[in-house]
Amino acid sequence: MPVTSKVVIAIIVEAALFVVLLFGAAGTLEWGAGWAWMVLMFGGGGVVTLLLARNDPALLAERMRSPMQPDQPLWDKVFLVVMGVLWCAWLVLMGLDAVRFRWSAMPLWLASVGAALVAVSFWLVARVFLENTFLAPVVKIQTERGHRVISSGPYAVVRHPLYAAAAIMIPASALVLGSWWGLAFSVLLLAGLVWRTIMEERELVAHLEGYAQYTGRVRYRLVPFVW
């Protein structure tokens, strides 16, 4: 199947799943914040996809591959399944919280801050993808593509800028959707990102030439001057 067709199908399936989980839990389609978040997520994701299609179709093709691959560590397969379940539970929780039961009351200005942060996170995602052609969705060494250490652009600041962008996007999404419970639950998702960062670095240090030296030059994993 052509990559373009895979991308279109993936977007449609993902959007449908998000609508079912979010608005199904909310019990209504009349949720402005929910639709605003969908526009932000799929608008931002669409822009990044178009940039990849134009500038790095090989990476786009790589990211359309199965999330379960033969050369992928078992721990990463388990991680992706667990994170997928947590992500779905998170969306359901926010629909229940913000709309159906109205447990949370969040001021509008916080939702605006969240929307701005989601936009910033997608800008960073785009920068990262355009900088690193080896940014596969699974943990593996891509010897067939000449995998090498990338240390320019965002990678000169932190070693895992894509995870840093996700660490902004996740809590910001809870703000857009007006869910304090979603914001609290996002701590679990962030903990998962931190764990994968540590595990992925072990693989890279052990198997990617030059990565150990790179960690000596760029000290911080996710947050400059912090960690």
Side-chain angles (χ1 to χ4, degrees), residues 49-118:
T49 300
L50 289 174
L51 286 173
L52 281 183
R54 185 180 67 183
N55 296 287
D56 197 346
L59 176 56
L60 182 58
E62 179 65 40
R63 293 197 66 83
M64 286 296 103
R65 293 184 62 189
S66 168
M68 301 294 160
Q69 300 180 21
D71 47 354
Q72 176 186 9
L74 176 60
W75 66 259
D76 193 46
K77 296 177 181 179
V78 174
F79 168 84
L80 291 177
V81 171
V82 172
M83 285 295 282
V85 171
L86 288 176
W87 178 273
C88 292
W90 180 59
L91 294 182
V92 169
L93 173 63
M94 290 190 289
L96 294 174
D97 176 26
V99 181
R100 186 182 291 266
F101 297 117
R102 300 187 183 277
W103 296 322
S104 291
M106 190 175 290
L108 182 60
W109 68 267
L110 264 182
S112 301
V113 170
L117 289 173
V118 170

Side-chain angles (χ1 to χ4, degrees), residues 10-207:
I11 290 174
I12 291 173
V13 170
E14 187 176 34
L17 177 63
F18 284 14
V19 167
V20 168
L21 293 174
L22 264 181
F23 293 90
T28 179
L29 293 175
E30 297 180 4
W31 182 16
W35 291 115
W37 183 75
M38 291 286 293
V39 169
L40 283 169
M41 294 296 290
F42 287 92
V47 169
V48 172
T49 300
L50 289 174
L51 286 173
L52 281 183
R54 185 180 67 183
N55 296 287
D56 197 346
L59 176 56
L60 182 58
E62 179 65 40
R63 293 197 66 83
M64 286 296 103
R65 293 184 62 189
S66 168
M68 301 294 160
Q69 300 180 21
D71 47 354
Q72 176 186 9
L74 176 60
W75 66 259
D76 193 46
K77 296 177 181 179
V78 174
F79 168 84
L80 291 177
V81 171
V82 172
M83 285 295 282
V85 171
L86 288 176
W87 178 273
C88 292
W90 180 59
L91 294 182
V92 169
L93 173 63
M94 290 190 289
L96 294 174
D97 176 26
V99 181
R100 186 182 291 266
F101 297 117
R102 300 187 183 277
W103 296 322
S104 291
M106 190 175 290
L108 182 60
W109 68 267
L110 264 182
S112 301
V113 170
L117 289 173
V118 170
V120 167
S121 70
F122 271 111
W123 172 82
L124 181 54
V125 167
R127 285 284 291 111
V128 173
F129 275 128
L130 293 177
E131 199 70 40
N132 186 0
T133 190
F134 306 109
L135 205 58
V138 305
V139 174
K140 65 176 184 176
I141 305 301
Q142 301 167 63
T143 53
E144 75 284 357
R145 299 185 64 218
H147 199 169
R148 66 183 187 279
V149 174
I150 302 297
S151 58
S152 55
Y155 289 89
V157 181
V158 294
R159 301 199 295 267
H160 298 272
L162 184 63
Y163 297 161
I168 296 171
M169 183 186 298
I170 290 169
S173 294
L175 296 183
V176 174
L177 293 170
S179 174
W180 288 114
W181 282 105
L183 186 62
F185 192 97
S186 67
V187 173
L188 289 177
L189 298 174
L190 297 179
L193 286 180
V194 169
W195 185 82
R196 195 191 201 199
T197 298
I198 294 169
M199 296 297 291
E200 184 173 328
E201 285 214 326
R202 291 180 182 176
E203 295 285 332
L204 294 172
V205 168
H207 303 294

